[in-house]
Amino acid sequence: PLVFRFDSGVHDVSGWYPGGTVRSVFARLGIAHDDEWVRLDHRYVFDGRALDVPRDWHAWVELLATEFAHEAAGLRALFDDIHTVHEAMFATATERGGIPGTPGTPQALLDFARRHPLAVAWLDRPWQAFVSRHVRDTAAQARISALSGYISEDISRLRVRDMVPIFGYYFKGGYYPLGGSGHMARRLVEAIEARGGRIELRTPVLRILTEDGAAC
């Protein structure tokens, strides 16, 4: 018989590319090659019409530009800006083991601001305002923000810093471990136990005790 298994957990990991957040953590733990990961593809359905997203984000932009010819220039400019902000947000990841974050010193903050002025100017401002700078067509905006459901049902509440990271699915691709997302948890458990840790499942946590700088 043909059996379908539906994964109710994580199903599309955007940080598995070389240097990405998830892969960097797994690499530090020595478990990055314990499972086979495959790249996934997105298919959107708008008004009953299926739309397959190309793996090259430039091709995705051109597909949108073909559909919304009157917004073609704005779409290209917007995605260039999104890519610029995305690269800025992850510019600090290399020095932090793949995890992006705020530069650690005042001088580093000043250097970041000089190198990434667009990100500094827009990270905490509304996503919809960022998009509207280049694209006004509401249908085109809906295509651009198709992944917003990963974060919130109310897009008006989202800031640029909320939305830009999920464009990593377009810029870097989303991946999935063959056999199910449970492999991610199993590999992490193995790595923790190999280092002397212990995993307690279905256990209420009342407080965390530490000894010699480690949770005990």
Side-chain angles (χ1 to χ4, degrees), residues 20-31 97-99 188:
T21 53
V22 177
R23 187 160 185 165
S24 294
V25 170
F26 276 52
R28 294 210 313 273
L29 295 173
I31 56 176
I99 309 300
L188 291 171

Side-chain angles (χ1 to χ4, degrees), residues 112-173:
F112 182 89
R114 280 192 289 267
R115 291 195 305 268
H116 308 289
L118 184 66
V120 172
W122 278 95
L123 280 176
D124 288 312
R125 297 172 67 180
W127 167 251
Q128 288 180 310
F130 186 72
V131 172
S132 297
R133 291 161 59 245
H134 294 298
V135 178
R136 297 297 183 89
D137 187 294
T138 56
Q141 290 178 353
R143 301 288 197 280
I144 295 162
S145 302
L147 291 174
S148 62
Y150 277 1
I151 306 172
S152 173
E153 293 181 355
D154 185 0
I155 195 171
S156 67
R157 302 178 60 182
L158 299 180
R159 299 168 298 169
V160 172
R161 70 164 62 248
D162 301 322
M163 277 294 293
V164 165
I166 63 174
F167 276 76
Y169 286 110
Y170 299 135
F171 301 143
K172 307 289 188 178

